């Protein structure tokens, strides 16, 4: 396994997805620190890994290229964290992780995926919309620095996406 800062991608990456393990954490933490102004700590990752096995690492060219942290509660999936190394942006890494999550969720009869995203994070919002997410609501001052979050959701089944009038909607 090679740390992401020593990797570069020249063409669309073939990705391999594995359950996130402690071995991946140093490379994951490097991506986390480079990606967010309020990065998670190593302890946060370790705590979530102990609680759940719904966290995955994406490898490209044997390098840790990105990761996805989720929580599955009843029939809902919550994306808690997703990031891709800058060396691999726009190479389909996050898309591979999202397709994997959507397929896994449908296989296990999950109804919807939810997440929060900073209103200023245009790249992530564009990415989520590409995968069928829509805006459900705004959470005021959700982040420590006072920025608002958009709550976005993606229905995994036809049934979950219909309201009482049979229209497609994003409210549950
Ligand atoms: C958002 C993020 C995870 C996307 O990862 P990625 O691997 O680069 O995304 P993909 O290559 O799979 O992109 C798929 C599509 O999403 C959209 N997209 C991704 N990045 C985008 C950007 N910077 N601007 C506009 N659209 C973007 C595009 O439609 C893209 O398809 P295209 O490249 O064919 O145009 C990545 O930018 C990242 O790690 N950002 C920092 C961490 C972060 O903000 N995480 C989200 C927290 S809520």
């Amino acid at each position: 396994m090679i740390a992401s800062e020593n990797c570069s991608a020249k063409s669309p990456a073939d990705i391999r997805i594995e359950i996130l393990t402690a071995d991946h954490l140093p490379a994951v933490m490097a991506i986390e620190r480079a990606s967010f102004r309020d990065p998670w700590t190593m302890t946060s990752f370790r705590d979530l890994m102990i609680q759940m096995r719904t966290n995955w690492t994406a490898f490209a060219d044997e390098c840790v290229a990105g990761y996805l942290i989720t929580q599955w509660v009843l029939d809902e999936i919550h994306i808690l964290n997703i990031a891709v190394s800058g060396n691999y942006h726009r190479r389909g890494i996050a898309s591979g992780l999202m397709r994997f999550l959507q397929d896994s969720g449908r296989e296990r009869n999950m109804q919807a995926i939810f997440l929060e995203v900073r209103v200023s994070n245009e790249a992530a919002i564009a990415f989520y919309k590409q995968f069928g997410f829509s805006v459900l609501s705004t959470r005021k001052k959700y982040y420590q620095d006072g920025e608002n979050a958009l709550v976005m959701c993606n229905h995994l089944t036809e049934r979950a996406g219909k309201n009482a009038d049979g229209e497609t909607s994003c409210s549950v």
Side-chain angles (χ1 to χ4, degrees):
M1 184 175 64
I2 308 163
S4 61
E5 61 266 29
N6 299 320
C7 297
S8 62
K10 296 187 181 63
S11 56
D14 277 337
I15 72 165
R16 190 178 83 246
I17 295 173
E18 292 182 9
I19 292 269
L20 193 151
T21 69
D23 290 348
H24 308 162
L25 278 186
V28 163
M29 282 303 302
I31 299 173
E32 174 74 10
R33 288 196 201 98
S35 300
F36 297 105
R37 64 184 102 142
D38 49 356
W40 285 14
T41 60
M42 184 79 100
T43 311
S44 316
F45 278 99
R46 280 194 198 286
D47 288 351
L48 280 168
M49 281 166 51
I50 291 165
Q51 288 168 32
M52 308 174 284
R53 280 175 57 86
T54 52
N55 312 308
W56 294 277
T57 308
F59 288 83
D61 321 318
E62 295 308 312
C63 294
V64 172
Y67 52 90
L68 171 65
I69 310 291
T70 70
Q71 191 171 36
W72 298 42
V73 180
L74 300 175
D75 59 2
E76 293 177 5
I77 300 172
H78 292 252
I79 294 181
L80 303 181
N81 200 342
I82 181 169
V84 170
S85 161
N87 293 339
Y88 282 97
H89 281 179
R90 305 302 284 267
R91 301 292 199 280
I93 304 289
S95 298
L97 285 164
M98 186 61 83
R99 270 192 293 274
F100 174 83
L101 183 67
Q102 290 176 325
D103 290 347
S104 308
R106 285 193 195 98
E107 273 169 26
R108 288 166 60 178
N109 292 321
M110 304 301 273
Q111 297 295 307
I113 307 176
F114 291 86
L115 58 86
E116 281 91 15
V117 56
R118 284 180 181 271
V119 291
S120 64
N121 195 344
E122 291 174 13
I125 293 167
F127 166 70
Y128 295 131
K129 286 189 172 165
Q130 180 87 356
F131 276 84
F133 282 77
S134 51
V135 175
L136 186 58
S137 59
T138 302
R139 292 215 163 117
K140 300 271 181 208
K141 299 187 178 171
Y142 179 78
Y143 295 97
Q144 267 186 352
D145 60 7
E147 186 169 349
N148 294 346
L150 297 181
V151 181
M152 299 186 79
C153 80
N154 170 226
H155 288 297
L156 294 174
T157 64
E158 282 285 309
R159 183 169 65 79
K162 303 279 184 199
N163 65 19
D165 300 321
E167 296 163 338
T168 302
S169 72
C170 196
S171 58
V172 284

